[in-house]
Amino acid sequence: MKHMKFLRLLLLFIVVQVQAQQGGMWIPSLLKGMNESEMKNLGMKISAEDIYSVNQSSLKDAVPHFDGGCTAEVISDKGLILTNHHCGYDNIQSHSTVEHDYLTNGFWAYKMEDELPNKDLFVTFIVRIEDVTAKVLEGTTGINSESDKQKKIQENINLLNKTLPKETWQENSIRTFFDGNQYILFVTETFRDVRLVGAPPSSIGKFGSDTDNWVWPRHTGDFSLFRIYADKDNKPAAYSKDNVPYKPKHFFPISLKGLKENDFTMVMGYPGRTQEYLPAIAVEQIVSTLNPAKVAIRDATLKVQNEFMRKDNAIKIQYASKNASIANSWKKWMGETKGLKKANAVGVKKQFEADFQQKVAAAGKQAEYGNLLIDFEKNYTEIQEYALARDIFSEIALRNTEILSLGYKLFQLEQIYNTKGEQSFNDRRNNLINGLGDFYKDFNPKVDEKVFEQLIAIYTAKYPKAFLPAEFENVNATNLASEVFNQSQLVSYDKIKELLTGDSKTVLEKLNKDRGFQVIKAMADSHLKKVAPKYDEINLRNIATQRTYMKAIMELSPKSARIFPDANSTLRVTYGKIKGYKPNDAVVYEPFTYLDGVMEKYIPGDYEFDVPKKLIDLYNAKDYGKYGVNGKMPVAFIATNHTTGGNSGSPALDAKGNLIGLNFDRVWEGTMSDIYYSPEICRNIMVDLRYVLFIVDKFAGAKNLIEEMKIIYPKERK
Ligand code: ARG
Ligand code: ASP
């Protein structure tokens, strides 16, 4: 009896440990040991060697970085890849016109010949991962100045990238981990002939749009399909009609066997950026100053764009992609701010810092680490105004006002002339002109004039007075907007081409007389002279402090501490369980959604919540084919995987490494996970693969694609 009680206690202890131990984005080549045993405790049936291996094909061979920003996974031996609808969005949009509106109606290639090439789209696979810290840091120990040290490191990296062994068609890319305490080499292969295969209509792929974005319960079928093409030797090649479907080293079988709460899941992908080890004062600055400033600017932009987009279908297509990406971070920053406050992240960090200080003292490391927190305090206080000015400038001038961000490129053109002369000027100009067609295709001066007016008003009111250019002191934003949009040559493709014709001297003279150019030049000048140098100087100190702080944390934490490197757009593995959560007092969220929920949200003809007729018919007939369970069609599910931007399109795998979900988002209450991960409340959101296949098969009738896949069906129910 006693024995049993002890065993039960032991079991309880293990369960509590495992539950507490989730979160973290781990390097796939370093899973053996702590991670592997945690994963097995959570239910994983495969080994670390199956996930990443240097000797044989492994799961990592089926997970490419998609277009530098998202993740995809290979799901057939003919190079078919799956990613999110919002990751393929730009490409779907660029093939769309008012007549062939693939955003609205979807697109399906029923034969390979119908697949659509995409000019700049690429996917990158990882061949090999290797620690190169010692090589990168060679010859840097004696260097005292931080900027000289960084310069030497960069030189070493450039040289190593060139000289470390690789095949001719491969690339070396060395990345820093733990804020400069570790360097890792990735040998990669990039494929540039990637064609669009299928996308559902936005009323499925973007169902719920911005209202539902970052929110659970969710009912979005956020997926699209592409295919990688290679040359006849299966090597990367530029687009050619003679290219053939890529033969992958591994592709994921898809399991339709069904999911339940507490099942093991893991997600592999390319998380972009997290800042889990910031000091309290930095988090405080994000919450109180930087996030609110950025949100206010995007608020204004989105109000203008949304009004135009809802009235005019051509504008809706032109601005769809830009609007979605502006809205996406805008909403995330709001959720993040709210979540950090609710979780008292600043308080938690302060407690951590007090403990840290004690550990430093106890270890007798006062001389080395004793001043770090004081340095942070000094640096962040000093940088605040500059950081705010920098964010306001980049949001207003580089991100949200199109004519200003274009103008900034012309400003850089002038700088290039001043620093590098005629030849560089000409090269850059030609480059610029090549990209202008795409810019003006989606540019509407009426929309941008309104955005300009709103944002210049914010600029004059909120930009720190010490840095505000003199000409903005008494400016009337409405008048300036109409002056610029009436007079500037930047507002039309034809006029700007004319503006850019002639030798450098003529072009620069014309530019400096242009009203639009004058405005951006004043803003950029002030930024580059009054803000950037000081910001960079303080920031460099902060980088050095952060590196030492990270080193100290690693050194002074117990062996069992789960310290993972911040995301940096390199391949990572995160794992956990399918799990609901409790967002608020008395509210519990279940981990699965169903097509019934789509119908509950359905608003006929609505901008965000319309549902295609065909889907309604399938729902009414309960015609779910092999994809439904007990008369219901699963749509999405959540789990405790620690993900971030860049993980979109990532494969969610079951205990055996089969594909069960497609990652696309996180829940509202947990969007703070980039800065502070809490296993109670942070969840990633995935489309259920059964919904993906149901849409491909029953909704789109693309049997050709289903036949390519390797599908594991549940055993016949009796
Ligand atoms: N929030 C998700 C991510 O960060 C999905 C964004 C796409 N959807 C949208 N409505 N903008 O990328
Ligand atoms: N939606 C994000 C992406 O595009 C994923 C996330 O931030 O959770 O990568």
Side-chain angles (χ1 to χ4, degrees), residues 282-294:
V283 177
E284 171 67 37
Q285 194 163 90
I286 291 171
V287 170
S288 315
T289 307
L290 302 179
N291 273 359
K294 295 190 289 186

Side-chain angles (χ1 to χ4, degrees), residues 335-359:
E336 183 177 270
T337 306
K338 208 170 157 206
L340 289 170
K341 281 188 190 158
K342 188 168 174 189
N344 185 26
V346 173
V348 174
K349 294 255 173 194
K350 282 195 173 141
Q351 185 56 53
F352 177 87
E353 287 164 13
D355 296 347
F356 172 82
Q357 215 54 333
Q358 281 185 357
K359 281 189 206 151

Side-chain angles (χ1 to χ4, degrees), residues 312-326:
D312 183 326
N313 204 36
I315 295 181
K316 180 176 159 187
I317 296 177
Q318 280 185 313
Y319 280 77
S321 187
K322 290 183 279 197
N323 180 268
S325 88
I326 292 174

Side-chain angles (χ1 to χ4, degrees), residues 36 96 109 128 190 284 355 357 418 428 430 439 446-447 496 503 552 572 574 639 644 653 669:
E36 187 172 32
S96 295
R128 194 154 40 83
T190 295
E284 171 67 37
D355 296 347
Q357 215 54 333
N418 293 340
R428 176 60 75 94
N430 295 341
F439 175 86
K446 285 208 201 72
V447 178
I496 197 168
D503 59 23
R572 301 294 177 89
T574 167
T644 186
L653 307 169
E669 297 79 5

Side-chain angles (χ1 to χ4, degrees), residues 69-71 84 86-87 213-214 222 270 272 328 332 643-649 663-667 673-674 683-685:
C70 280
T71 305
N84 289 143
H86 78 262
C87 295
N213 191 19
W214 300 109
D222 194 346
Y270 297 80
N328 193 40
K332 188 196 122 174
T643 54
T644 186
N647 270 121
S648 275
N663 185 72
F664 72 103
D665 209 359
R666 280 170 284 164
V667 304
S673 66
D674 291 350
R683 298 287 178 273
N684 69 313
I685 309 181

